[in-house]
Amino acid sequence: MPAIVTPDLCDAYPEVAVLEPMFVNFGGHEAFFGPVRTVKCFEDNSLVRQTVNEPGDGAVLVVDAGGSTRCAMLGDRLAEQAAGNGWAGVVMYGCVRDVDELAETELGIQALAAHPRKSEKHGEGQRDIPVSFGGATIEPGQWLYADNNGILIADDRLVLD
């Protein structure tokens, strides 16, 4: 994956949306990008599990977990499945766990925080819908760019000369 630097992208594309600075890098890839796919769920990671078990084809899974800090929605096993299925990354508006293992996983992961408790599993949630958090609405098919400087959302793939 080519190196990306979000400040350079912001300079070249001032119209991009920038998520509020609330996310922390947890994955083995500190910079990642790809077309967006979405899941919306609250304290139930059933759809996250289902989605990361499908081919990612270089996409970024954006999970609107309602900003919950009461349980983790992604751990080492699901992250390994995502990496193995070709996902570029996961942005979790919620928590993750198994952070030492996540740091060794070949996947970009940004989330609000770490939490040791696992989520419920009742099969609840929605997929492939617009989600809103961090001051932006993120739609499937948009492009997400993330690194240690922040997270950008663009309508199309961005190119630096």
Side-chain angles (χ1 to χ4, degrees):
M1 180 174 291
I4 62 156
V5 181
T6 58
D8 292 347
L9 290 172
C10 280
D11 292 350
Y13 298 94
E15 72 281 2
V16 298
V18 179
L19 295 186
E20 294 168 1
M22 63 179 87
F23 292 91
V24 177
N25 247 325
F26 288 98
H29 292 169
E30 292 188 343
F32 58 97
F33 69 95
V36 168
R37 296 192 202 159
T38 63
V39 167
K40 184 172 183 166
C41 50
F42 186 74
E43 298 181 2
D44 179 338
N45 75 346
S46 301
L47 286 183
V48 175
R49 174 181 303 278
Q50 176 185 334
T51 305
V52 300
N53 278 311
E54 298 171 0
D57 301 320
V60 175
L61 179 60
V62 176
V63 181
D64 180 354
S68 173
T69 55
R70 299 189 305 196
C71 67
M73 299 290 286
L74 180 82
D76 59 343
R77 286 185 265 164
L78 294 186
E80 282 292 336
Q81 290 170 346
N85 285 323
W87 291 86
V90 176
V91 172
M92 179 65 66
Y93 184 53
C95 294
V96 296
R97 67 184 200 164
D98 305 314
V99 297
D100 295 333
E101 292 84 355
L102 295 184
E104 301 297 321
T105 304
E106 293 296 316
L107 184 70
I109 303 168
Q110 290 207 20
L112 297 180
H115 198 293
R117 179 171 287 124
K118 67 181 179 177
S119 77
E120 299 293 323
K121 287 153 183 61
H122 300 293
E124 297 174 0
Q126 297 171 286
R127 285 180 63 173
D128 303 318
I129 63 166
V131 295
S132 297
F133 57 83
T137 297
I138 305 165
E139 299 188 25
Q142 288 183 309
W143 282 75
L144 184 144
Y145 297 81
D147 66 10
N148 285 321
N149 295 290
I151 299 174
L152 311 179
I153 305 295
D155 288 336
D156 302 297
R157 185 172 183 162
L158 305 179
V159 179
L160 286 177
D161 294 330

